[in-house]
Amino acid sequence: MPRSSRSPEDSCDQPENVAHVSREVRPRRIIQRGRNICRMTEAPLSNATWITCLACFLRTRAHRVLFNTCRYKLFIHKLIEKAGVLILCAFGFWMFSVHLPSKMDIWQEDSIDSPLQSLRMYQEKVRHHTGEIQDLRGHLNQLIAKLQEMEAMSDEQKMTQKIIKMIQGDYIEKPDFALKSIGASIDFEQTSATYNHDKACSYWNWIRLWNYAQPPDVILEPNVTPGNCWAFSGDRGQVTIRLAQKVYLSNLTLQHIPKTISLSGSLDTAPKDFVIYGVEGSPKEEVFLGAFQFQPENIIQTFQLQNQPPRTFGAVKVKISSNWGNPRFTCLYRVRVHGSVTLPREQPNSPHPKRD
């Protein structure tokens, strides 16, 4: 730079001018230095910027590629999973469609057959109950007719009809297979001896002409009058009755005279405890049919026999073990044996006697 000329006049002002010039020169130098530095660094900065942008671009593309790859992988995995689920659903639907029709057919057959069977059972029950109702209706009509007849009759007619039935033997209204008139008889070998009393004999000059004592077969006849009975000694005895034919035994009836017409005024000769046996076979086999007690207040009593399982018998044994207090003899007036020739449909369940 050219040097400036200095005058003596200006010597006094030199320090101020120097200071002012120095102040102006320093900013300029600083600005120039800054410009030089900018020019020097401008070229390297531009190169770095391009490299940085390229790196960012490459990194972005790499991220996008990686992202797309991961997305494709996830998509493929999801697709595989959904395809597996679809395959399983299709296989299950196929199995269901194959096996369901047969099961549906079976279910339909069962659902149809079971109501049909129940309907048939109900029909059978209805028919059975209808028959029972008809039978009951018939019995009810019979009872109504009898009640109407009884209402129409007076007390005297009722008593007369009851006495006639008792005399004729229709009071029991059961067939009697021990009637002498139809072929029944007494097995004397298996029967106790008849009680002999002096008053029952006829004498002429101390000679006995005949005996008025009744034989055992009098109990097989319907004539029940005082004295017309079979008597045996003491209170223990037995009688064996050969029936008219083999019978499925069901009941046995004993009959005694009432106390009102008894000559002694008591019924001590009536049997009390007795046992019934069915007899069958050539080596005579005895089958227990029941043990009973006769109550003399009821002159006719029917006892139900224990013939179960039902068997046919050709003979009946009545074994008496006590009477009602007479120590000398016991009297039997009439014995009836009831049953059926064919196998009965309904068997009695109660062994207790039925008293009329």
Side-chain angles (χ1 to χ4, degrees):
M1 294 181 61
R3 293 180 182 181
S4 62
S5 59
R6 296 179 181 180
S7 60
E9 296 176 352
D10 297 329
S11 60
C12 61
D13 297 328
Q14 188 176 359
E16 293 178 2
N17 293 330
V18 172
H20 181 71
V21 171
S22 62
R23 289 176 183 175
E24 293 177 355
V25 172
R26 286 179 181 177
R28 290 179 181 175
R29 291 179 179 175
I30 292 169
I31 292 169
Q32 289 179 357
R33 288 178 183 176
R35 290 177 180 176
N36 294 330
I37 291 168
C38 289
R39 289 176 181 175
M40 290 174 66
T41 58
E42 186 175 358
L45 284 172
S46 61
N47 295 330
T49 301
W50 282 101
I51 291 170
T52 302
C53 292
L54 180 61
C56 290
F57 176 75
L58 293 175
R59 185 177 61 184
T60 303
R61 296 296 294 177
H63 285 175
R64 287 182 179 179
V65 171
L66 290 173
F67 177 75
N68 292 331
T69 304
C70 293
R71 188 171 63 182
Y72 291 151
K73 286 183 179 180
L74 290 173
F75 176 74
I76 290 169
H77 282 299
K78 290 182 179 179
L79 182 62
I80 290 171
E81 290 177 359
K82 291 182 178 179
V85 173
L86 289 174
I87 291 169
L88 289 174
C89 292
F91 180 75
F93 180 77
W94 177 74
M95 292 291 291
F96 186 76
S97 63
V98 169
H99 294 283
L100 182 62
S102 60
K103 292 183 178 179
M104 286 291 292
D105 294 337
I106 294 171
W107 179 79
Q108 289 178 356
E109 291 176 358
D110 293 336
S111 63
I112 293 171
D113 291 338
S114 58
L116 288 175
Q117 291 178 358
S118 61
L119 285 174
R120 289 172 185 171
M121 291 175 64
Y122 286 136
Q123 286 179 355
E124 292 179 358
K125 288 182 179 179
V126 168
R127 290 176 184 174
H128 179 67
H129 291 305
T130 303
E132 290 181 351
I133 290 170
Q134 291 177 354
D135 294 336
L136 290 173
R137 187 177 296 173
H139 291 302
L140 184 61
N141 292 332
Q142 292 178 1
L143 289 174
I144 291 172
K146 288 182 179 180
L147 287 173
Q148 291 175 353
E149 291 177 0
M150 290 179 67
E151 288 176 358
M153 292 188 303
S154 63
D155 293 339
E156 294 180 356
Q157 290 175 341
K158 292 178 184 178
M159 186 62 67
T160 303
Q161 186 175 4
K162 186 175 180 180
I163 293 171
I164 290 172
K165 282 187 176 182
M166 291 176 62
I167 293 172
Q168 292 178 351
D170 296 333
Y171 185 75
I172 302 299
E173 296 182 351
K174 291 183 179 181
D176 182 10
F177 291 92
L179 272 174
K180 185 178 180 180
S181 58
I182 64 172
S185 60
I186 299 294
D187 185 356
F188 290 96
E189 294 181 357
Q190 300 293 325
T191 302
S192 301
T194 303
Y195 175 72
N196 290 319
H197 191 263
D198 293 338
K199 292 182 179 180
C201 298
S202 178
Y203 293 89
W204 180 75
N205 292 329
W206 302 97
I207 301 173
R208 190 172 66 179
L209 298 178
W210 56 80
N211 191 356
Y212 290 101
Q214 298 293 340
D217 56 2
V218 72
I219 65 175
L220 309 181
E221 298 175 357
N223 184 14
V224 180
T225 55
N228 192 31
C229 65
W230 173 64
F232 58 87
S233 299
D235 58 354
R236 293 178 179 270
Q238 65 182 26
V239 59
T240 302
I241 303 170
R242 297 193 190 99
L243 303 177
Q245 58 184 6
K246 290 186 178 181
V247 181
Y248 290 96
L249 299 179
S250 61
N251 305 91
L252 185 137
T253 300
L254 289 185
Q255 184 174 354
H256 202 78
I257 59 172
K259 186 177 180 180
T260 54
I261 63 173
S262 175
L263 298 180
S264 62
S266 66
L267 300 175
D268 57 353
T269 60
K272 184 178 181 181
D273 298 312
F274 63 97
V275 181
I276 306 298
Y277 295 95
V279 181
E280 184 56 37
S282 53
K284 296 181 180 179
E285 177 188 2
E286 295 183 359
V287 179
F288 176 79
L289 298 179
F292 310 100
Q293 186 178 86
F294 181 79
Q295 301 292 332
E297 291 81 8
N298 300 321
I299 60 174
I300 300 177
Q301 297 178 40
T302 300
F303 304 90
Q304 189 170 331
L305 303 179
Q306 303 172 11
N307 189 14
Q308 293 182 0
R311 291 181 54 182
T312 58
F313 295 96
V316 175
K317 176 185 283 188
V318 181
K319 191 172 184 179
I320 299 169
S321 58
S322 64
N323 62 16
W324 285 95
N326 195 308
R328 294 183 299 165
F329 60 92
T330 303
C331 289
L332 275 180
Y333 275 86
R334 188 178 179 187
V335 178
R336 310 184 204 184
V337 179
H338 311 293
S340 60
V341 179
T342 59
L343 182 65
R345 294 181 182 179
E346 296 182 358
Q347 298 298 327
N349 295 324
S350 176
H352 299 291
K354 175 184 175 184
R355 294 174 183 174
D356 299 325

